[in-house]
Amino acid sequence: MNFERQKRKILGWLALFAPLPLPLNDVLEWPVLFAYFGLVVYYLHRIDRGDRVALPNWLLNVLGLVYLPILAFDLQASLARDQVVRALLHLILFLVVVKLFSIRREKEKWHVLIAIFFLFVAAMATSSHLSILFYLLAALAAGLVTLAHFAHLHVLASVGRGQEEAPTYPPVRRAPLLASLAIVLVAIPIFASMPRLRQPFVMGRGAGNVGLARTTGFSDSVDLSLTTSIRGNRGVALRIQPSQPVANPGSIRFKGATYESYRDARWLRDPYSLREIFPSPDRGFELAAGVPSTDSAVVFLEPLDATSLVVPTNTVSVRLSSARRLGIDTGGALYLPGNPRRQTLRFEVELGPSTVIAAQDPRPPLELFDPRGEIEPAPSATLDPTGATPRIAELAAQVMGEGPDAERIDRLLRHLLEEYAYTLDFTGRDAEVPLEEFLFDYKSGHCEYFASAMVLMLRSQGIPARFVAGFLGAERNPIEGYLVVRQQNAHAWVEAWTQDRGWQVYDPTPPEGRPTPATQDLRLLLQQMYDWAAFRWDRYILTYGEEDQRSFFRRLRERVSAAWARLWSQDEDAAPETATPQAPSLGGAGDPAFDPQESFWSSPKVRLGGLALLALLTAAGVVFYRRRLLRPEDAYERLRRRLPGYGVDVDDSVAPLQLARRVTEFHPPVEEDVGRLVSLYLESSYAGRPVDPDRRRGLRPALSAVLDGVRGEDRRRRVEERRSRRRRPSERRRSA
């Protein structure tokens, strides 16, 4: 294959490699991707066959004219869907394919290379998964090696060697890899210091959190006729970094949404019940005025394809610098203005000692509306009995009985906990009234059925109640100490109101149906390590913003100032800071056995295991390195580079056979080994004959024998020289 065909083939492989992330980030349609990959593979097939691939100019003009109306329609459709990047990607793919099939002159190859680079940038810009980091590193190393090869062929062709049939590779192999490492090291401070944009200008949907609304229950409605796979979704929904230890993270509740309207087996969120709240300078968005905060936490909320702002149920205030206002409904659930988020949201919460339900009183005194009592206030939506059929109301009256409302609620709660079972198997169920089927026929269901049944049964007896969706429980990540709430922790419960208790949380789902923390084992530890890596990728790469940049430079300045002060300070006996007692945190009283600030790596077992793993990997690396077959060129270059340090006079003008003679004269026992090594080098480099693996296996032992022998001879000569120097003064004294 001559140089021109080699360059065309390199371009084809680059065109295949550049858009690899696109099928994973749901930016382009699969038919378009299949058509693109199919055409590029066909192009490579034609190159291997030796066919000349060059479309005529008239056909290129026709293709351009045909694509113009397609581009106009594509731009219009993409703008309507707020996905301009899709039309641009279509255009880049079209240009790459057309240019590949129309290369005639040398400079056109560079045009194709530029188009492929833009395709690579688009694939990177629309990807957010952690795996894109490995793709970037592989693309950087492979791209530099390929470009070096491409430039090498270009130079050879320019000096008249373009018709050679043997594949030629650039003589420099390590330079591209070292350049890749240098680029990564230089890119880190540039990325940390370059100005931040408030929002990404190009962003795809990503592959990590697509379709979460179908599995978490966070949407404008909850449909009881649908069955989901909530329990099988181990994706992370949010992370919490508490300032104090948490005793029982499995009992923490996180409120995401409240629903008060039940229509046609669905719970609907009333948009007219939302009101806006604005932040105060000292406490941010305040949910419970006058309630003191006993703890604080930093929350990282993953994209949920919903506008809900999920917070712990004992939140008294929220600090969110990126929002100037928040929406809050009559149930106290928070909502972000605008469309569902596509990035991780970071905010801080102040926590109180108990559950805070920032809800309106469903039964305000009549004099608040009309002191004279002439106007009847509108009934609260939490008393709407729609959906509670006469059969359901009759069962509720029978179970709840008479007495104070609080006691009647407790009776209904015990009845649902004891008489019904939890299940996710809904095979064969298809009823017009799913709650009647749940209460009277199957007597089993998931948390949404239990919560819905309790709400409607309470309303049928005149007790205000609402349906609440959120998360229950969290697990500790021992690597950094934060708490992780997964998608499978999605849960539903009830908030009911009585005159004596006010608003209270009731969970009618049996304990076996509530989310529970996973058992700590090796599989969970590996998953937590991946969660940590994904969290760091998302936190410090994808969502690294202006405030993070200011904080980074502020901490850097403080550490430099502290180091400078310690260097010049005369007072080295500073008194240690005394720890102040902390109040209970998210889940209750502090747990002295767990400290979120204590590193996972401080455990002696983990340290010993890490050292053992490091030793094992080092040994495996040494064994692999020693068993790796050397190329004759590498063995000869290594020998030539090491000989001057052992006293053998070898410079660039010394030929291979002359080098072998000098080594033999310096240390005759290595004559056979150095002769074998030099002969294989000459055979591979000058004769052009490949060396079979059996003969290459002897290169490493031969090289080691030559170097060891020369090193030993050099050491022996140095010792003899030092001894002779010591003898000369004594001989002079004797002669004198």
Side-chain angles (χ1 to χ4, degrees):
M1 182 179 294
N2 57 28
F3 293 171
E4 181 182 0
R5 287 173 57 194
Q6 287 187 53
K7 287 187 284 187
R8 291 172 184 264
K9 190 172 183 179
I10 291 174
L11 291 175
W13 282 108
L14 288 177
L16 276 182
F17 181 78
L20 282 182
L22 291 177
L24 305 177
N25 57 23
D26 200 21
V27 174
L28 285 181
E29 308 88 344
W30 281 100
V32 174
L33 291 169
F34 279 130
Y36 172 81
F37 286 121
L39 289 173
V40 176
V41 170
Y42 174 70
Y43 170 82
L44 290 172
H45 174 67
R46 294 283 301 273
I47 295 297
D48 287 336
R49 288 175 49 186
D51 298 342
R52 183 169 181 82
V53 183
L55 298 177
N57 291 330
W58 66 268
L59 183 56
L60 296 178
N61 295 330
V62 170
L63 290 176
L65 293 175
V66 170
Y67 191 74
L68 280 178
I70 298 177
L71 177 61
F73 175 79
D74 195 10
L75 284 173
Q76 184 179 4
S78 299
L79 287 173
R81 295 192 299 265
D82 194 21
Q83 294 178 337
V84 184
V85 67
R86 176 170 293 184
L88 297 179
L89 283 173
H90 289 164
L91 178 60
I92 296 176
L93 292 175
F94 174 77
L95 289 177
V96 169
V97 171
V98 171
K99 293 297 292 182
L100 278 177
F101 281 92
S102 61
I103 296 177
R104 287 186 174 83
R105 293 173 294 180
E106 187 66 27
K107 65 178 182 180
E108 293 179 353
K109 299 183 178 68
W110 296 100
H111 298 167
V112 178
L113 201 60
I114 294 174
I116 293 174
F117 172 75
F118 280 109
L119 181 59
F120 168 76
V121 171
M124 290 292 302
T126 54
S127 302
S128 59
H129 197 268
L130 176 62
S131 59
I132 198 67
L133 175 63
F134 303 100
Y135 170 78
L136 175 61
L137 297 177
L140 184 61
L144 288 176
V145 172
T146 305
L147 287 177
H149 189 191
F150 193 82
H152 181 64
L153 293 175
H154 181 74
V155 171
L156 291 179
S158 64
V159 296
R161 294 183 56 189
Q163 300 302 320
E164 297 183 10
E165 292 296 327
T168 304
Y169 299 96
V172 179
R173 295 298 182 88
R174 295 183 179 180
L177 300 179
L178 295 177
S180 302
L181 179 61
I183 290 173
V184 172
L185 295 178
V186 172
I188 293 175
I190 293 177
F191 174 81
S193 58
M194 65 187 302
R196 319 312 308 170
L197 296 172
R198 293 188 178 271
Q199 291 182 352
F201 60 95
V202 177
M203 191 63 192
R205 290 176 58 189
N209 294 312
V210 176
L212 293 184
R214 293 190 295 272
T215 57
T216 64
F218 285 105
S219 63
D220 289 339
S221 65
V222 176
D223 196 341
L224 297 181
S225 63
L226 299 178
T227 58
T228 60
S229 58
I230 296 175
R231 291 294 179 264
N233 191 346
R234 292 283 295 170
V236 176
L238 64 154
R239 296 174 174 88
I240 308 98
Q241 288 182 326
S243 60
Q244 303 173 33
V246 179
N248 185 16
S251 63
I252 307 174
R253 292 184 185 270
F254 302 86
K255 179 182 286 189
T258 62
Y259 307 93
E260 297 181 350
S261 299
Y262 183 80
R263 299 289 186 276
D264 299 328
R266 292 192 305 166
W267 287 101
L268 305 175
R269 192 181 73 187
D270 185 6
Y272 298 103
S273 67
L274 294 178
R275 59 185 177 89
E276 290 184 339
I277 57 175
F278 300 91
S280 61
D282 53 344
R283 297 195 68 182
F285 296 95
E286 195 169 11
L287 305 183
V291 178
S293 62
T294 59
D295 191 11
S296 63
V298 180
V299 181
F300 299 91
L301 181 63
E302 297 294 331
L304 297 177
D305 201 17
T307 58
S308 301
L309 184 67
V310 183
V311 296
T313 54
N314 58 335
T315 300
V316 297
S317 65
V318 178
R319 292 184 181 274
L320 181 60
S321 59
S322 61
R324 297 182 179 179
R325 68 184 190 278
L326 288 179
I328 186 171
D329 61 11
T330 56
L334 298 175
Y335 301 91
L336 291 164
N339 297 324
R341 299 169 298 103
R342 294 180 178 179
Q343 284 187 311
T344 301
L345 182 65
R346 179 187 184 276
F347 56 94
E348 300 177 5
V349 294
E350 297 290 334
L351 305 169
S354 59
T355 300
V356 175
I357 301 179
Q360 301 175 4
D361 193 339
R363 291 179 175 175
L366 186 61
E367 56 268 16
L368 293 179
F369 291 91
D370 181 22
R372 295 175 296 179
E374 296 179 355
I375 302 175
E376 184 71 21
S380 171
T382 56
L383 286 168
D384 182 8
T386 303
T389 63
R391 195 178 179 189
I392 294 177
E394 181 182 355
L395 177 62
Q398 178 183 353
V399 172
M400 297 171 66
E402 301 294 335
D405 289 345
E407 296 180 2
R408 300 170 67 200
I409 294 176
D410 293 340
R411 294 191 197 108
L412 178 59
L413 181 64
R414 285 194 302 270
H415 176 75
L416 292 173
L417 290 173
E418 296 172 358
E419 301 297 330
Y420 294 84
Y422 181 85
T423 184
L424 288 175
D425 184 10
F426 289 83
T427 305
R429 299 192 188 186
D430 186 17
E432 297 181 0
V433 186
L435 288 182
E436 279 197 359
E437 186 182 61
F438 163 70
L439 290 171
F440 300 104
D441 297 335
Y442 292 98
K443 294 189 176 183
S444 62
H446 54 64
C447 59
E448 293 177 354
Y449 276 82
F450 283 92
S452 301
M454 185 172 182
V455 170
L456 296 185
M457 293 174 78
L458 290 176
R459 289 182 181 183
S460 68
Q461 303 304 306
I463 298 178
R466 65 169 60 90
F467 182 95
V468 183
F471 296 92
L472 172 61
E475 68 182 37
R476 292 170 177 151
N477 189 313
I479 299 177
E480 271 197 309
Y482 55 75
L483 304 179
V484 174
V485 180
R486 301 189 181 276
Q487 303 293 349
Q488 67 179 19
N489 290 86
H491 194 53
W493 60 89
V494 178
E495 288 180 355
W497 185 88
T498 59
Q499 189 69 37
D500 299 333
R501 299 177 179 175
W503 286 106
Q504 293 290 327
V505 172
Y506 299 93
D507 194 341
T509 305
E512 63 270 14
R514 301 173 189 175
T516 56
T519 304
Q520 189 71 35
D521 53 10
L522 179 60
R523 180 180 179 183
L524 180 60
L525 179 61
L526 293 176
Q527 188 173 34
Q528 289 172 338
M529 294 176 66
Y530 171 78
D531 292 339
W532 173 82
F535 171 59
R536 289 300 176 185
W537 166 258
D538 188 38
R539 177 70 183 87
Y540 294 110
I541 302 296
L542 299 181
T543 61
Y544 185 82
E546 183 180 357
E547 182 61 31
D548 297 309
Q549 192 177 46
R550 286 198 296 264
S551 176
F552 168 75
F553 284 107
R554 183 169 55 250
R555 291 196 304 269
L556 181 62
R557 182 183 59 188
E558 292 174 355
R559 293 183 179 181
V560 172
S561 301
W564 184 263
R566 285 195 301 269
L567 181 64
W568 294 101
S569 176
Q570 300 298 326
D571 184 12
E572 298 181 356
D573 299 328
E577 297 182 358
T578 57
T580 56
Q582 300 289 350
S585 67
L586 292 174
D591 183 5
F594 170 74
D595 185 359
Q597 304 302 327
E598 184 180 356
S599 174
F600 170 74
W601 308 107
S602 62
S603 171
K605 294 182 179 179
V606 174
R607 288 183 177 179
L608 291 176
L611 291 176
L613 180 61
L614 180 61
L616 180 63
L617 293 177
T618 304
V622 170
V623 172
F624 173 77
Y625 176 77
R626 290 187 176 277
R627 297 188 63 181
R628 182 174 60 92
L629 294 180
L630 276 179
R631 297 170 59 246
E633 294 84 355
D634 296 335
Y636 179 77
E637 290 298 329
R638 191 176 303 178
L639 175 65
R640 191 184 192 97
R641 189 171 57 252
R642 300 280 294 275
L643 285 177
Y646 298 146
V648 181
D649 185 16
V650 176
D651 54 25
D652 295 338
S653 61
V654 176
L657 294 178
Q658 187 178 4
L659 181 143
R661 285 194 298 270
R662 291 189 181 184
V663 173
T664 303
E665 293 172 357
F666 187 84
H667 188 57
V670 300
E671 178 180 5
E672 182 179 354
D673 292 322
V674 72
R676 182 187 307 112
L677 193 150
V678 171
S679 63
L680 289 179
Y681 167 70
L682 294 175
E683 182 179 348
S684 175
S685 299
Y686 291 90
R689 294 194 297 269
V691 180
D692 58 90
D694 292 335
R695 301 171 67 193
R696 285 176 60 185
R697 289 189 181 92
L699 282 174
R700 191 179 297 277
L703 177 63
S704 300
V706 173
L707 293 178
D708 292 342
V710 173
R711 186 190 303 112
E713 178 64 20
D714 180 58
R715 187 181 300 112
R716 187 189 64 79
R717 293 188 179 189
R718 292 177 186 271
V719 171
E720 290 294 333
E721 184 179 356
R722 285 195 297 268
R723 289 177 179 175
S724 64
R725 289 175 182 175
R726 294 193 192 100
R727 288 195 299 266
R728 287 170 187 170
S730 60
E731 292 175 356
R732 292 195 198 101
R733 286 193 297 269
R734 285 196 299 269
S735 62

